[in-house]
Amino acid sequence: MKRRHFIAGTLGSAAALTLAACSGNTEPGGGGGGATTVPSKPAEPVTLNFFTDKAAWEPSFKDMNTASAGQNMSLKFTGYSDPTAYDTFIKQSFRTKKIPDLFTWHTGSQTQELVEQGLIAETSALWAKAETDGLVPPGIKDNYTIEDKQYGVPLNIAYWVMYYSKSVFEKHNLTPPTSFADLLAMADTLVAAGVTPFHQMNIIFEFVWFQALLMGSNPDVYDKLSRGEAKYTDDAVVKVAQQWSDMIGKKYFIDPGSTTDPQTLLKTGQIAMIYMGTFFTGQLTASEMTSGKDYGAFVFPNMDPAVARPQMALETGPLLAGKGAANEAAALAYSEWWMSTEAQKAWSTSRGDISFNPEVPSDDPEIGPIVKDIADKGKDFQVHTRYLEATPNAIYTVASEVFGKLVTDGGDPMPGLQKIQAAADEYWSSK
Protein backbone atom coordinates (compact mmCIF):
# COMPACT_ATOMS: atom_id res chain seq x y z
CA MET A 1 0.00 0.00 0.00
CA LYS A 2 1.45 3.38 -0.94
CA ARG A 3 0.75 6.83 0.35
CA ARG A 4 -1.23 8.84 -2.14
CA HIS A 5 -1.22 12.61 -2.31
CA PHE A 6 -3.50 14.88 -4.33
CA ILE A 7 -1.91 16.08 -7.55
CA ALA A 8 -2.79 19.67 -8.37
CA GLY A 9 -4.39 20.39 -11.68
CA THR A 10 -7.23 22.27 -13.31
CA LEU A 11 -10.25 20.07 -13.85
CA GLY A 12 -13.14 20.56 -16.26
CA SER A 13 -15.93 22.89 -15.17
CA ALA A 14 -18.78 21.54 -13.07
CA ALA A 15 -21.19 23.48 -15.26
CA ALA A 16 -20.20 21.60 -18.38
CA LEU A 17 -20.60 18.27 -16.62
CA THR A 18 -24.00 19.29 -15.29
CA LEU A 19 -25.14 20.01 -18.83
CA ALA A 20 -23.85 16.62 -19.94
CA ALA A 21 -25.66 14.87 -17.09
CA CYS A 22 -28.90 16.62 -17.95
CA SER A 23 -28.66 16.15 -21.70
CA GLY A 24 -31.47 13.61 -21.83
CA ASN A 25 -29.28 10.67 -22.83
CA THR A 26 -31.61 7.84 -23.79
CA GLU A 27 -28.95 5.21 -24.50
CA PRO A 28 -29.11 2.06 -22.37
CA GLY A 29 -27.55 2.88 -19.02
CA GLY A 30 -27.21 6.61 -19.78
CA GLY A 31 -27.68 9.56 -17.52
CA GLY A 32 -28.75 10.18 -13.89
CA GLY A 33 -30.23 8.84 -10.68
CA GLY A 34 -28.60 8.05 -7.37
CA ALA A 35 -29.41 11.27 -5.54
CA THR A 36 -33.06 10.63 -4.74
CA THR A 37 -33.88 7.42 -6.62
CA VAL A 38 -32.24 4.00 -6.98
CA PRO A 39 -31.66 3.26 -10.69
CA SER A 40 -33.04 0.01 -12.05
CA LYS A 41 -30.80 -2.49 -13.77
CA PRO A 42 -30.49 -1.85 -17.53
CA ALA A 43 -33.05 -3.46 -19.81
CA GLU A 44 -30.26 -4.33 -22.25
CA PRO A 45 -26.66 -5.45 -21.56
CA VAL A 46 -24.29 -2.59 -20.74
CA THR A 47 -20.50 -2.73 -20.57
CA LEU A 48 -19.14 -0.24 -18.06
CA ASN A 49 -15.73 1.33 -18.59
CA PHE A 50 -13.99 0.64 -15.28
CA PHE A 51 -10.60 1.97 -14.20
CA THR A 52 -8.58 1.11 -11.11
CA ASP A 53 -5.12 1.40 -9.58
CA LYS A 54 -5.46 -2.22 -8.42
CA ALA A 55 -4.18 -3.99 -11.52
CA ALA A 56 -3.40 -7.15 -9.58
CA TRP A 57 -7.08 -7.56 -8.71
CA GLU A 58 -8.13 -8.20 -12.32
CA PRO A 59 -8.99 -11.89 -11.69
CA SER A 60 -11.46 -10.90 -8.97
CA PHE A 61 -13.14 -8.34 -11.20
CA LYS A 62 -13.47 -11.01 -13.89
CA ASP A 63 -15.22 -13.15 -11.27
CA MET A 64 -17.57 -10.25 -10.61
CA ASN A 65 -18.49 -10.12 -14.29
CA THR A 66 -19.65 -13.70 -13.96
CA ALA A 67 -21.63 -12.79 -10.84
CA SER A 68 -23.27 -9.75 -12.45
CA ALA A 69 -24.37 -11.51 -15.63
CA GLY A 70 -27.99 -11.55 -14.49
CA GLN A 71 -27.88 -7.80 -13.92
CA ASN A 72 -27.17 -6.97 -17.57
CA MET A 73 -23.97 -5.24 -16.51
CA SER A 74 -20.27 -6.08 -16.86
CA LEU A 75 -16.98 -4.26 -16.36
CA LYS A 76 -14.41 -3.49 -19.04
CA PHE A 77 -11.32 -3.62 -16.83
CA THR A 78 -8.38 -1.22 -17.16
CA GLY A 79 -5.84 -1.54 -14.37
CA TYR A 80 -2.90 0.65 -13.42
CA SER A 81 0.06 -0.43 -11.27
CA ASP A 82 1.57 3.05 -10.87
CA PRO A 83 -0.65 5.08 -8.49
CA THR A 84 0.73 8.45 -9.63
CA ALA A 85 0.08 7.68 -13.30
CA TYR A 86 -3.39 6.45 -12.38
CA ASP A 87 -4.31 9.57 -10.40
CA THR A 88 -3.14 11.76 -13.28
CA PHE A 89 -5.12 9.73 -15.82
CA ILE A 90 -8.38 9.94 -13.86
CA LYS A 91 -8.16 13.69 -13.43
CA GLN A 92 -7.32 14.21 -17.09
CA SER A 93 -10.21 12.01 -18.20
CA PHE A 94 -12.72 14.51 -16.81
CA ARG A 95 -11.40 17.11 -19.25
CA THR A 96 -12.44 14.88 -22.14
CA LYS A 97 -15.62 13.18 -23.31
CA LYS A 98 -14.26 9.87 -22.00
CA ILE A 99 -15.44 10.25 -18.43
CA PRO A 100 -15.04 6.90 -16.62
CA ASP A 101 -18.27 5.11 -15.82
CA LEU A 102 -16.77 3.61 -12.66
CA PHE A 103 -13.39 4.01 -11.04
CA THR A 104 -11.63 3.39 -7.75
CA TRP A 105 -10.29 6.29 -5.73
CA HIS A 106 -9.35 7.41 -2.21
CA THR A 107 -11.72 8.49 0.57
CA GLY A 108 -11.27 11.73 2.48
CA SER A 109 -10.04 14.98 1.00
CA GLN A 110 -9.27 13.50 -2.41
CA THR A 111 -12.85 12.40 -3.02
CA GLN A 112 -14.10 15.66 -1.57
CA GLU A 113 -12.09 17.65 -4.09
CA LEU A 114 -13.67 15.76 -7.00
CA VAL A 115 -17.13 16.22 -5.47
CA GLU A 116 -16.55 19.96 -5.13
CA GLN A 117 -15.65 20.02 -8.84
CA GLY A 118 -19.00 18.35 -9.62
CA LEU A 119 -17.34 15.26 -11.06
CA ILE A 120 -18.86 12.46 -8.97
CA ALA A 121 -22.41 11.10 -9.14
CA GLU A 122 -24.32 11.22 -5.87
CA THR A 123 -25.32 7.93 -4.22
CA SER A 124 -27.46 9.11 -1.29
CA ALA A 125 -30.47 7.04 -2.38
CA LEU A 126 -28.32 3.93 -2.65
CA TRP A 127 -27.05 4.40 0.90
CA ALA A 128 -30.55 4.99 2.24
CA LYS A 129 -31.69 1.71 0.70
CA ALA A 130 -28.62 -0.18 1.93
CA GLU A 131 -29.19 1.08 5.47
CA THR A 132 -32.85 0.10 5.35
CA ASP A 133 -31.87 -3.36 4.11
CA GLY A 134 -29.19 -3.75 6.79
CA LEU A 135 -26.36 -4.04 4.28
CA VAL A 136 -23.87 -1.63 5.88
CA PRO A 137 -22.32 -1.61 9.37
CA PRO A 138 -21.97 1.37 11.74
CA GLY A 139 -19.33 3.96 10.92
CA ILE A 140 -18.74 3.25 7.25
CA LYS A 141 -21.24 5.78 5.85
CA ASP A 142 -19.26 8.67 7.34
CA ASN A 143 -16.41 7.88 4.94
CA TYR A 144 -18.73 8.53 1.99
CA THR A 145 -20.55 11.59 3.31
CA ILE A 146 -19.74 15.11 2.13
CA GLU A 147 -22.01 17.98 3.12
CA ASP A 148 -24.68 15.50 4.27
CA LYS A 149 -24.74 13.69 0.91
CA GLN A 150 -23.16 10.39 -0.08
CA TYR A 151 -20.80 9.77 -2.99
CA GLY A 152 -19.55 6.36 -4.08
CA VAL A 153 -19.90 2.97 -2.42
CA PRO A 154 -17.30 0.83 -0.60
CA LEU A 155 -15.02 -1.17 -2.86
CA ASN A 156 -13.38 -2.80 0.14
CA ILE A 157 -12.80 -2.26 3.85
CA ALA A 158 -10.24 -3.10 6.50
CA TYR A 159 -10.53 -2.86 10.27
CA TRP A 160 -7.39 -2.22 12.30
CA VAL A 161 -6.72 -4.95 14.87
CA MET A 162 -3.81 -6.43 16.78
CA TYR A 163 -2.44 -9.63 15.25
CA TYR A 164 -0.35 -11.85 17.51
CA SER A 165 1.84 -14.94 17.29
CA LYS A 166 0.16 -17.94 18.91
CA SER A 167 3.49 -19.67 19.50
CA VAL A 168 5.06 -16.66 21.21
CA PHE A 169 2.01 -16.19 23.42
CA GLU A 170 1.96 -19.87 24.36
CA LYS A 171 5.68 -19.96 25.10
CA HIS A 172 5.40 -17.03 27.52
CA ASN A 173 1.99 -17.96 29.00
CA LEU A 174 0.25 -14.90 27.56
CA THR A 175 -3.37 -14.42 26.57
CA PRO A 176 -5.00 -11.53 24.67
CA PRO A 177 -5.21 -8.53 27.02
CA THR A 178 -8.46 -7.13 28.36
CA SER A 179 -6.96 -3.73 29.24
CA PHE A 180 -4.17 -1.42 28.18
CA ALA A 181 -2.43 -2.09 31.50
CA ASP A 182 -2.44 -5.79 30.59
CA LEU A 183 -0.93 -4.96 27.21
CA LEU A 184 1.93 -3.01 28.80
CA ALA A 185 2.54 -5.78 31.36
CA MET A 186 2.74 -8.29 28.51
CA ALA A 187 5.23 -6.05 26.73
CA ASP A 188 7.43 -5.93 29.84
CA THR A 189 7.33 -9.72 30.11
CA LEU A 190 8.38 -10.11 26.49
CA VAL A 191 11.19 -7.55 26.68
CA ALA A 192 12.55 -9.30 29.76
CA ALA A 193 12.53 -12.57 27.80
CA GLY A 194 14.38 -11.01 24.86
CA VAL A 195 11.35 -10.85 22.55
CA THR A 196 10.30 -7.64 20.80
CA PRO A 197 6.63 -7.03 21.67
CA PHE A 198 5.45 -4.84 18.76
CA HIS A 199 6.02 -4.07 15.12
CA GLN A 200 6.26 -0.46 13.97
CA MET A 201 7.22 1.36 10.77
CA ASN A 202 8.64 4.83 10.17
CA ILE A 203 7.13 5.10 6.69
CA ILE A 204 3.65 4.43 5.28
CA PHE A 205 2.10 3.32 8.60
CA GLU A 206 4.06 5.58 10.93
CA PHE A 207 0.81 7.09 12.26
CA VAL A 208 -1.01 3.97 13.41
CA TRP A 209 0.07 3.89 17.05
CA PHE A 210 -0.90 7.53 17.44
CA GLN A 211 -4.26 6.57 15.97
CA ALA A 212 -4.80 3.60 18.31
CA LEU A 213 -3.69 5.37 21.47
CA LEU A 214 -5.67 8.55 20.87
CA MET A 215 -8.87 6.72 19.88
CA GLY A 216 -8.62 4.70 23.08
CA SER A 217 -7.75 7.69 25.24
CA ASN A 218 -10.02 10.45 23.93
CA PRO A 219 -12.08 9.43 20.89
CA ASP A 220 -13.79 12.83 20.70
CA VAL A 221 -10.46 14.61 20.39
CA TYR A 222 -9.39 12.10 17.73
CA ASP A 223 -12.40 13.05 15.62
CA LYS A 224 -12.09 16.76 16.34
CA LEU A 225 -8.51 16.86 15.05
CA SER A 226 -9.80 15.94 11.60
CA ARG A 227 -12.18 18.92 11.68
CA GLY A 228 -9.80 21.48 13.13
CA GLU A 229 -11.78 21.56 16.40
CA ALA A 230 -8.87 20.31 18.54
CA LYS A 231 -5.15 21.03 18.53
CA TYR A 232 -2.16 18.72 18.42
CA THR A 233 -0.81 20.64 21.40
CA ASP A 234 -3.90 19.97 23.55
CA ASP A 235 -3.24 18.03 26.75
CA ALA A 236 -5.14 14.97 25.51
CA VAL A 237 -2.91 14.69 22.44
CA VAL A 238 0.32 15.43 24.27
CA LYS A 239 -0.52 12.71 26.81
CA VAL A 240 -0.89 10.13 24.07
CA ALA A 241 2.28 11.19 22.27
CA GLN A 242 4.23 11.00 25.52
CA GLN A 243 2.87 7.51 26.21
CA TRP A 244 3.96 6.46 22.74
CA SER A 245 7.42 7.96 23.24
CA ASP A 246 7.78 6.19 26.59
CA MET A 247 6.96 2.86 24.93
CA ILE A 248 9.58 3.53 22.26
CA GLY A 249 12.10 4.30 24.99
CA LYS A 250 11.35 0.98 26.72
CA LYS A 251 12.28 -0.91 23.53
CA TYR A 252 8.77 -2.22 22.99
CA PHE A 253 9.11 -1.83 19.22
CA ILE A 254 11.28 -3.42 16.56
CA ASP A 255 13.78 -1.30 14.68
CA PRO A 256 11.46 0.67 12.36
CA GLY A 257 14.05 0.50 9.62
CA SER A 258 13.83 -3.30 9.41
CA THR A 259 13.62 -4.51 5.83
CA THR A 260 12.09 -7.86 6.80
CA ASP A 261 8.42 -8.23 5.88
CA PRO A 262 6.12 -7.93 8.90
CA GLN A 263 4.49 -11.29 8.17
CA THR A 264 7.91 -12.94 8.28
CA LEU A 265 8.72 -11.22 11.58
CA LEU A 266 5.49 -12.54 13.07
CA LYS A 267 5.92 -16.03 11.62
CA THR A 268 9.48 -16.39 12.95
CA GLY A 269 8.61 -15.00 16.37
CA GLN A 270 10.88 -11.97 16.04
CA ILE A 271 7.89 -9.89 17.09
CA ALA A 272 4.92 -10.94 19.18
CA MET A 273 2.27 -8.52 17.91
CA ILE A 274 1.50 -6.20 15.01
CA TYR A 275 -1.25 -3.58 14.80
CA MET A 276 -2.43 -3.76 11.21
CA GLY A 277 -5.46 -3.59 8.93
CA THR A 278 -7.31 -6.84 8.26
CA PHE A 279 -5.88 -6.87 4.74
CA PHE A 280 -2.81 -8.30 6.55
CA THR A 281 -4.61 -11.64 6.76
CA GLY A 282 -3.91 -12.19 3.07
CA GLN A 283 -0.19 -11.65 3.59
CA LEU A 284 -0.17 -14.09 6.49
CA THR A 285 -2.03 -16.68 4.43
CA ALA A 286 0.49 -16.24 1.60
CA SER A 287 3.21 -16.93 4.19
CA GLU A 288 1.50 -20.25 4.99
CA MET A 289 0.22 -19.12 8.37
CA THR A 290 -3.19 -20.34 9.52
CA SER A 291 -5.68 -18.20 11.41
CA GLY A 292 -6.46 -19.63 14.84
CA LYS A 293 -3.43 -21.93 14.70
CA ASP A 294 -0.40 -19.79 13.91
CA TYR A 295 -1.81 -16.38 14.69
CA GLY A 296 -4.70 -14.73 16.47
CA ALA A 297 -6.20 -11.25 16.62
CA PHE A 298 -7.78 -8.99 19.21
CA VAL A 299 -9.22 -5.48 19.45
CA PHE A 300 -6.66 -2.92 20.62
CA PRO A 301 -7.55 -2.18 24.28
CA ASN A 302 -8.41 1.41 25.19
CA MET A 303 -5.53 3.36 26.71
CA ASP A 304 -7.92 5.03 29.14
CA PRO A 305 -10.20 2.56 30.97
CA ALA A 306 -12.74 5.38 31.38
CA VAL A 307 -13.46 5.12 27.64
CA ALA A 308 -16.24 2.57 27.85
CA ARG A 309 -16.93 1.86 24.19
CA PRO A 310 -14.52 -0.32 22.19
CA GLN A 311 -12.77 1.75 19.52
CA MET A 312 -12.07 0.71 15.96
CA ALA A 313 -10.31 2.36 13.01
CA LEU A 314 -11.76 1.69 9.57
CA GLU A 315 -10.18 2.24 6.20
CA THR A 316 -12.16 1.86 3.03
CA GLY A 317 -11.60 2.46 -0.65
CA PRO A 318 -14.43 3.90 -2.77
CA LEU A 319 -15.96 2.80 -6.03
CA LEU A 320 -17.11 6.02 -7.72
CA ALA A 321 -19.41 6.76 -10.66
CA GLY A 322 -18.42 9.60 -12.97
CA LYS A 323 -21.01 12.34 -13.22
CA GLY A 324 -21.91 12.87 -16.86
CA ALA A 325 -20.43 9.54 -17.95
CA ALA A 326 -22.04 7.84 -20.94
CA ASN A 327 -23.36 5.05 -18.69
CA GLU A 328 -23.92 7.00 -15.49
CA ALA A 329 -27.30 5.45 -14.66
CA ALA A 330 -25.97 1.93 -15.25
CA ALA A 331 -22.89 2.73 -13.17
CA LEU A 332 -25.17 3.73 -10.31
CA ALA A 333 -27.26 0.59 -10.79
CA TYR A 334 -24.06 -1.43 -10.63
CA SER A 335 -23.04 0.44 -7.46
CA GLU A 336 -26.38 -0.45 -5.89
CA TRP A 337 -25.91 -4.10 -6.84
CA TRP A 338 -22.33 -4.04 -5.53
CA MET A 339 -23.63 -3.37 -2.02
CA SER A 340 -26.01 -6.34 -2.20
CA THR A 341 -25.48 -9.62 -0.40
CA GLU A 342 -25.25 -11.45 -3.73
CA ALA A 343 -22.42 -9.27 -4.97
CA GLN A 344 -20.55 -9.17 -1.69
CA LYS A 345 -20.62 -12.95 -1.31
CA ALA A 346 -19.04 -13.25 -4.75
CA TRP A 347 -16.46 -10.55 -3.99
CA SER A 348 -15.53 -11.94 -0.57
CA THR A 349 -15.16 -15.44 -2.00
CA SER A 350 -12.97 -14.26 -4.86
CA ARG A 351 -10.78 -11.95 -2.77
CA GLY A 352 -10.63 -14.12 0.36
CA ASP A 353 -11.25 -10.93 2.31
CA ILE A 354 -13.88 -9.54 4.66
CA SER A 355 -16.94 -7.72 3.33
CA PHE A 356 -18.53 -4.58 4.72
CA ASN A 357 -21.94 -6.27 4.33
CA PRO A 358 -23.01 -7.78 7.69
CA GLU A 359 -24.95 -10.45 5.82
CA VAL A 360 -21.68 -11.81 4.43
CA PRO A 361 -19.89 -13.13 7.52
CA SER A 362 -16.22 -13.99 7.52
CA ASP A 363 -15.32 -17.62 8.20
CA ASP A 364 -11.92 -16.58 9.56
CA PRO A 365 -11.84 -17.91 13.16
CA GLU A 366 -9.97 -14.85 14.45
CA ILE A 367 -11.14 -11.95 12.30
CA GLY A 368 -14.71 -13.19 11.78
CA PRO A 369 -15.85 -12.75 15.40
CA ILE A 370 -14.35 -9.25 15.55
CA VAL A 371 -16.16 -8.18 12.38
CA LYS A 372 -19.40 -9.69 13.75
CA ASP A 373 -19.00 -7.76 17.00
CA ILE A 374 -18.45 -4.49 15.13
CA ALA A 375 -21.73 -4.97 13.27
CA ASP A 376 -23.54 -5.93 16.49
CA LYS A 377 -25.20 -2.78 17.85
CA GLY A 378 -25.20 -4.36 21.28
CA LYS A 379 -21.39 -4.34 21.33
CA ASP A 380 -21.53 -0.56 20.80
CA PHE A 381 -18.29 -0.16 18.85
CA GLN A 382 -17.28 3.40 18.05
CA VAL A 383 -15.86 3.27 14.53
CA HIS A 384 -13.54 6.00 13.26
CA THR A 385 -12.04 6.80 9.89
CA ARG A 386 -8.38 5.80 9.72
CA TYR A 387 -6.05 8.70 10.50
CA LEU A 388 -4.57 8.91 7.00
CA GLU A 389 -7.97 9.41 5.36
CA ALA A 390 -9.42 11.50 8.20
CA THR A 391 -6.60 14.05 8.13
CA PRO A 392 -6.41 16.77 5.46
CA ASN A 393 -3.46 16.05 3.21
CA ALA A 394 -1.63 19.31 4.01
CA ILE A 395 -1.61 18.33 7.68
CA TYR A 396 -0.94 14.65 7.12
CA THR A 397 2.15 15.36 5.04
CA VAL A 398 3.75 17.11 8.03
CA ALA A 399 2.39 14.61 10.57
CA SER A 400 3.83 11.66 8.68
CA GLU A 401 7.30 13.24 8.83
CA VAL A 402 6.94 14.05 12.52
CA PHE A 403 5.64 10.62 13.48
CA GLY A 404 8.27 8.93 11.35
CA LYS A 405 10.99 10.81 13.23
CA LEU A 406 9.42 9.96 16.60
CA VAL A 407 9.23 6.28 15.69
CA THR A 408 12.88 6.33 14.65
CA ASP A 409 14.42 8.50 17.36
CA GLY A 410 11.94 8.64 20.25
CA GLY A 411 12.43 11.53 22.65
CA ASP A 412 10.30 14.58 23.47
CA PRO A 413 7.24 14.61 21.17
CA MET A 414 6.28 18.23 21.86
CA PRO A 415 8.38 19.98 19.17
CA GLY A 416 6.91 17.64 16.58
CA LEU A 417 3.35 18.24 17.79
CA GLN A 418 3.95 21.98 17.56
CA LYS A 419 5.14 21.54 13.98
CA ILE A 420 2.00 19.61 13.06
CA GLN A 421 -0.19 22.20 14.74
CA ALA A 422 1.50 24.99 12.77
CA ALA A 423 0.54 23.14 9.57
CA ALA A 424 -2.99 22.64 10.92
CA ASP A 425 -3.34 26.35 11.78
CA GLU A 426 -2.27 27.30 8.27
CA TYR A 427 -4.66 24.81 6.67
CA TRP A 428 -7.75 25.60 8.72
CA SER A 429 -7.23 29.38 8.46
CA SER A 430 -7.80 29.06 4.72
CA LYS A 431 -11.15 27.29 5.14
Side-chain angles (χ1 to χ4, degrees):
M1 182 173 294
K2 297 183 179 180
R3 186 176 302 152
R4 301 180 176 96
H5 300 303
F6 193 85
I7 301 171
T10 303
L11 300 176
S13 72
L17 291 176
T18 301
L19 288 173
C22 299
S23 62
N25 189 335
T26 58
E27 294 298 315
T36 58
T37 60
V38 177
S40 301
K41 71 177 184 181
E44 301 175 20
V46 175
T47 299
L48 299 165
N49 289 315
F50 169 63
F51 300 88
T52 181
D53 57 353
K54 297 167 177 58
W57 294 14
E58 183 173 7
S60 291
F61 286 109
K62 286 184 177 179
D63 289 343
M64 294 308 290
N65 279 345
T66 299
S68 67
Q71 304 298 316
N72 275 344
M73 294 177 287
S74 62
L75 302 177
K76 181 182 179 182
F77 181 94
T78 301
Y80 280 69
S81 298
D82 183 333
T84 301
Y86 176 73
D87 287 7
T88 301
F89 165 76
I90 289 297
K91 296 188 185 88
Q92 289 178 342
S93 71
F94 282 102
R95 303 177 192 168
T96 72
K97 295 181 180 180
K98 296 182 179 180
I99 298 170
D101 295 325
L102 286 169
F103 64 101
T104 62
W105 201 239
H106 332 292
T107 54
S109 61
Q110 296 193 43
T111 290
Q112 182 171 350
E113 185 129 1
L114 296 187
V115 169
E116 289 173 350
Q117 296 283 345
L119 306 179
I120 307 301
E122 186 180 340
T123 56
S124 297
L126 278 60
W127 279 91
K129 183 177 184 299
E131 287 187 310
T132 299
D133 294 344
L135 303 182
V136 289
I140 193 170
K141 181 179 177 180
D142 294 344
N143 292 268
Y144 295 84
T145 301
I146 299 172
E147 299 295 332
D148 297 323
K149 297 178 181 179
Q150 285 72 55
Y151 298 88
V153 297
L155 174 71
N156 63 318
I157 65 165
Y159 294 111
W160 279 71
V161 302
M162 188 74 86
Y163 288 86
Y164 68 94
S165 165
K166 288 273 190 177
S167 61
V168 171
F169 269 44
E170 289 171 4
K171 181 177 180 179
H172 297 283
N173 298 315
L174 301 175
T175 57
T178 57
S179 69
F180 188 68
D182 287 346
L183 185 68
L184 296 182
M186 290 167 54
D188 288 333
T189 297
L190 290 165
V191 169
V195 178
T196 301
F198 305 116
H199 182 267
Q200 188 166 233
M201 299 170 69
N202 56 11
I203 57 172
I204 305 177
F205 295 141
E206 71 289 312
F207 62 88
V208 300
W209 276 81
F210 176 79
Q211 165 187 284
L213 294 173
L214 186 54
M215 285 192 313
S217 176
N218 198 316
D220 290 340
V221 168
Y222 177 86
D223 289 339
K224 287 179 178 178
L225 281 180
S226 68
R227 303 191 297 266
E229 298 170 3
K231 294 182 177 295
Y232 283 86
T233 51
D234 287 347
D235 289 346
V237 181
V238 174
K239 178 182 177 181
V240 161
Q242 189 59 60
Q243 174 68 67
W244 188 14
S245 179
D246 290 347
M247 295 170 70
I248 293 169
K250 291 181 179 180
K251 307 299 182 183
Y252 284 176
F253 298 98
I254 195 168
D255 176 359
S258 172
T259 58
T260 304
D261 291 336
Q263 60 268 29
T264 300
L265 293 170
L266 195 70
K267 182 177 182 177
T268 57
Q270 295 178 68
I271 57 170
M273 291 168 275
I274 177 168
Y275 178 57
M276 189 68 76
T278 49
F279 54 79
F280 189 53
T281 296
Q283 294 164 257
L284 294 174
T285 301
S287 297
E288 299 183 343
M289 295 183 72
T290 303
S291 177
K293 176 184 177 183
D294 300 313
Y295 68 89
F298 58 85
V299 175
F300 197 110
N302 292 339
M303 176 177 157
D304 186 345
V307 178
R309 299 175 65 185
Q311 304 295 310
M312 181 59 63
L314 164 72
E315 66 171 294
T316 177
L319 179 65
L320 302 177
K323 187 174 181 180
N327 297 306
E328 179 184 339
L332 290 169
Y334 189 92
S335 299
E336 190 266 335
W337 173 77
W338 181 269
M339 299 177 83
S340 72
T341 300
E342 175 192 19
Q344 284 304 300
K345 281 183 177 178
W347 179 248
S348 182
T349 298
S350 180
R351 291 290 306 151
D353 203 354
I354 65 171
S355 169
F356 60 82
N357 187 324
E359 294 187 357
V360 184
S362 169
D363 59 5
D364 185 297
E366 295 289 337
I367 301 301
I370 295 175
V371 174
K372 183 178 180 180
D373 283 349
I374 294 169
D376 184 347
K377 293 182 180 179
K379 301 295 184 180
D380 201 25
F381 268 78
Q382 187 170 0
V383 180
H384 306 265
T385 300
R386 188 176 66 153
Y387 179 82
L388 189 157
E389 289 80 17
T391 306
N393 197 55
I395 302 172
Y396 175 75
T397 300
V398 176
S400 66
E401 295 173 356
V402 168
F403 293 153
K405 185 176 187 305
L406 180 63
V407 167
T408 303
D409 301 331
D412 182 7
M414 195 63 187
L417 294 176
Q418 291 171 336
K419 185 176 181 180
I420 302 172
Q421 187 53 45
D425 288 339
E426 181 178 357
Y427 175 81
W428 293 115
S429 67
S430 67
K431 298 301 175 181

